[in-house]
Amino acid sequence: MKITLNGSVVETDQTDLLALVHERGVDPSSLVIEHNLSVIKQDNWPLTPLREGDTIELLNFVGGG
Amino acid sequence: MLTLGPKTFSSRLLTGTGKFASKTLIAPMLEASGSQMITVALRRVDPGADQENILSHIPDTVTLLPNTSGARTAEEAVRIARIARAAGCGDFIKIEVIQDMQYLLPENYETLKATEILAREGFTVLPYVMADINIARQLHDAGAAAVMPLGAPIGSNAGLEMKAMIRRIIDTSKLPVIVDAGIGKPSQAAEAMEMGADAVLVNTAIATAQDPALAGRAFAKAVAAGRMACLCGLAGAQAGASASSPLTGFLRN
């Protein structure tokens, strides 16, 4: 299925957020996930199914002024 | 004490986490400066790249001030603020809406719109704005916790280019005034505080100093000195001289 990940349309076979994080090789420890404009807590990543057309942002806090 | 929303701070120096050569310099800077609030930013992760976790470098005793940098509209700023809060960063938000990519000057109208929305949602809103007494009044009415006029463009170290306008905001604003951006050295921070600013936010000048901890300490002392100078009731300058010692002419009969 196709999803929009950090602004780019990508193809994935993963079925939940946690699997997507692993597939993309992103360190989950300090990750913030916005799924269709809602922030999903880490405990709920494996419980959040991915669907065609979902919009996902993988974010983290960085230095800034 | 500086009161911003529900919290009270003894330090009037706010700091930032951008531009440090190493994130490990942040905690010693916080310790040396006594700063009790520090900004952080939210960014998309780059899959595969090493991920920094800025939050792990900030002690729990220091209040996080996530900013909305990258936002070009009120809607984008509101979205970033909601993400930051949902991610556990607390209720403080620095609104930063920038469309001018040459000078990075803030967009006051979009900032005001974002302030109205976020204040209603219970955020403690600290908006970064162009120095203007009208926006300061409108932000007050919109529920902001402070107004943060810029001293000079972000990262410029140019000091208080907006001094006259900041002075007018200090004279008229019912909100605490925090001079944010452009302060390049402690004497400029002291000057802002002498003028009656309630606090200053310094990032670049501290982070890019060769010794950020020492710079933080210098800024903290300058801010404290400026605050005391503001409170002590200085007499001000005059054109002529006024003798400090008696001029009794006993040497001349």
Side-chain angles (χ1 to χ4, degrees):
Chain A
M1 76 184 132
K2 284 188 168 58
I3 59 170
T4 302
L5 182 66
N6 283 7
S8 301
V9 176
V10 300
E11 185 74 37
T12 184
D13 296 327
Q14 307 306 317
T15 54
D16 66 74
L17 281 181
L18 181 63
L20 180 73
V21 169
H22 288 321
E23 181 195 57
R24 297 288 146 172
V26 176
D27 174 8
S29 59
S30 60
L31 189 64
V32 177
I33 302 185
E34 191 196 42
H35 176 243
N36 296 336
L37 299 181
S38 296
V39 173
I40 309 296
K41 293 210 184 306
Q42 192 152 0
D43 292 348
N44 290 327
W45 293 352
L47 311 174
T48 305
L50 281 179
R51 298 209 167 82
E52 179 80 24
D54 278 359
T55 298
I56 289 155
E57 294 284 347
L58 304 181
L59 310 164
N60 72 334
F61 287 98
V62 298
Chain B
M1 299 291 264
L2 172 69
T3 299
L4 297 172
K7 283 197 183 179
T8 303
F9 303 88
S10 55
S11 167
R12 292 173 181 271
L13 173 62
L14 284 64
T15 50
T17 54
K19 299 184 188 169
F20 281 87
S22 162
K23 303 303 171 200
T24 58
L25 296 167
I26 293 172
M29 182 281 294
L30 284 168
E31 167 117 33
S33 68
S35 176
Q36 295 167 320
M37 189 184 301
I38 194 162
T39 57
V40 293
L42 197 57
R43 281 289 176 276
R44 281 174 171 164
V45 302
D46 183 9
D50 268 352
Q51 216 168 296
E52 66 173 277
N53 180 10
I54 198 78
L55 302 184
S56 66
H57 296 281
I58 303 172
D60 292 343
T61 51
V62 175
T63 298
L64 293 172
L65 179 59
N67 68 31
T68 66
S69 75
R72 292 174 179 232
T73 64
E75 289 69 27
E76 290 173 356
V78 166
R79 182 174 164 201
I80 294 171
R82 288 173 179 159
I83 293 171
R85 179 155 77 175
C89 267
D91 293 333
F92 279 74
I93 190 76
K94 170 181 165 178
I95 300 185
E96 184 177 325
V97 180
I98 291 173
Q99 296 173 357
D100 157 39
M101 299 318 287
Q102 183 172 1
Y103 293 109
L104 304 179
L105 295 175
E107 217 302 322
N108 281 1
Y109 178 61
E110 295 294 321
T111 301
L112 177 61
K113 285 199 291 184
T115 299
E116 278 175 349
I117 294 166
L118 293 171
R120 265 203 310 271
E121 294 181 10
F123 282 89
T124 300
V125 182
L126 307 184
Y128 169 62
V129 289
M130 289 298 293
D132 168 39
I133 59 170
N134 298 301
I135 196 73
R137 186 188 68 249
Q138 290 159 348
L139 289 169
H140 170 268
D141 295 345
V147 55
M148 300 207 295
L150 61 91
I154 294 170
S156 68
N157 290 335
L160 301 178
E161 288 184 351
M162 308 300 291
K163 181 157 69 177
M165 289 300 166
I166 292 171
R167 196 187 298 279
R168 290 172 186 128
I169 293 176
I170 291 168
D171 284 346
T172 57
S173 177
K174 294 175 189 162
L175 292 172
V177 178
I178 302 170
V179 178
D180 180 8
I183 292 180
K185 48 189 178 181
S187 57
Q188 294 160 350
E191 186 175 11
M193 297 302 294
E194 281 173 13
M195 283 164 49
D198 294 279
V200 298
L201 198 164
V202 181
N203 182 2
T204 298
I206 292 174
T208 62
Q210 286 183 17
D211 184 341
L214 189 57
R217 192 147 171 259
F219 270 99
K221 286 184 176 288
V223 166
R227 177 66 181 169
M228 282 187 270
C230 171
L231 297 176
C232 75
L234 295 171
Q238 58 182 26
S242 166
S244 303
S245 307
L247 297 177
T248 324
F250 69 92
L251 296 176
R252 283 174 198 81
N253 298 325

